[in-house]
């Protein structure tokens, strides 16, 4: 059983997929969202299902369907078996980060990292706070972490700011766009 005792160690393992590669594109947030404060975080998205999850009023028209999309996309984003295309589709402005995500596809540390979403609270029609446990080797490394999901292109996605919060937690503050 792998035990992670230091949050920074866990963050490094979790952020392995976020470590900079000289030729990688920046992870800029072009202002498309406002995300939660940097805590050990990342957020999830979903496959487009506009009728089930389109924002309305103070939250999505169908909160249960939107929550399911967020959980699915959050899990996909951190799934070491997921393709780069799948990760791109679950990340806010994912096409801009494709080279970075592709560079981490074979990273041994990223292959040990996953998440379990434990709660989703909608804060606006286009944003939700996601509570999750960051797992390394299947064991909780950063339990009760928080991040944001944003609604972009008719899909609930992991916010760039949440991704950058993990990069910052790992000690790699030089990530482009973070």
């Amino acid at each position: 059983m792998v035990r992670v005792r230091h949050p920074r160690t866990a963050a490094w393992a979790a952020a392995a997929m976020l470590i900079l590669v000289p030729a990688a594109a920046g992870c800029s947030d072009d202002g498309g969202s406002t995300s939660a404060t940097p805590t050990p975080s990342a957020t999830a998205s979903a496959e487009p299902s506009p009728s089930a999850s389109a924002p309305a009023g103070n939250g999505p028209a169908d909160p249960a369907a939107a929550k399911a999309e967020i959980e699915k996309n959050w899990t996909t984003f951190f799934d070491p078996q997921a393709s780069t295309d799948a990760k791109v589709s679950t990340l806010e402005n994912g096409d801009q980060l494709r080279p970075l995500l592709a560079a981490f596809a074979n990273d041994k540390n990223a292959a040990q990292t996953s998440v379990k979403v434990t709660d989703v609270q909608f804060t606006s029609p286009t944003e939700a706070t996601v509570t999750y446990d960051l797992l390394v080797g299947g064991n909780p490394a950063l339990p009760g972490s928080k991040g944001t999901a944003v609604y972009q292109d008719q899909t609930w996605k992991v916010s760039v700011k949440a991704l950058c919060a993990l990069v910052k937690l790992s000690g790699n503050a030089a990530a482009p766009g973070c």
Side-chain angles (χ1 to χ4, degrees), residues 47-63 65-67 69 122 124-126 151-156:
E47 295 298 315
S49 179
S51 62
S53 62
N58 290 331
D62 184 345
K67 179 180 178 183
E69 288 178 333
F122 295 97
S124 79
T126 59
Y151 193 71
Q152 181 184 56
D153 300 328
Q154 299 181 343
T155 302
W156 285 96

Side-chain angles (χ1 to χ4, degrees), residues 35-116:
S35 299
T37 56
T39 57
S41 63
T43 51
S45 82
E47 295 298 315
S49 179
S51 62
S53 62
N58 290 331
D62 184 345
K67 179 180 178 183
E69 288 178 333
I70 289 169
E71 289 175 356
K72 177 181 182 269
N73 287 333
W74 182 262
T75 302
T76 298
F77 185 77
F78 283 94
D79 181 351
Q81 301 302 316
S83 69
T84 298
D85 285 342
K87 291 176 187 266
V88 164
S89 73
T90 62
L91 178 63
E92 177 186 23
N93 303 325
D95 282 329
Q96 295 172 7
L97 296 168
R98 179 180 292 279
L100 183 64
L101 296 174
F104 302 117
N106 296 318
D107 185 280
K108 66 179 182 173
N109 292 319
Q112 298 176 37
T113 305
S114 61
V115 298
K116 178 181 179 188

Side-chain angles (χ1 to χ4, degrees), residues 12 24 27 33 37 64 79 94 102 119 143 159 177-178:
W12 270 109
C27 69
S33 72
T37 56
D79 181 351
D119 191 35
S159 75
C178 291

Side-chain angles (χ1 to χ4, degrees), residues 138-158:
N139 298 300
L142 293 173
S145 298
K146 296 209 185 262
T148 53
V150 296
Y151 193 71
Q152 181 184 56
D153 300 328
Q154 299 181 343
T155 302
W156 285 96
K157 298 183 177 189
V158 173

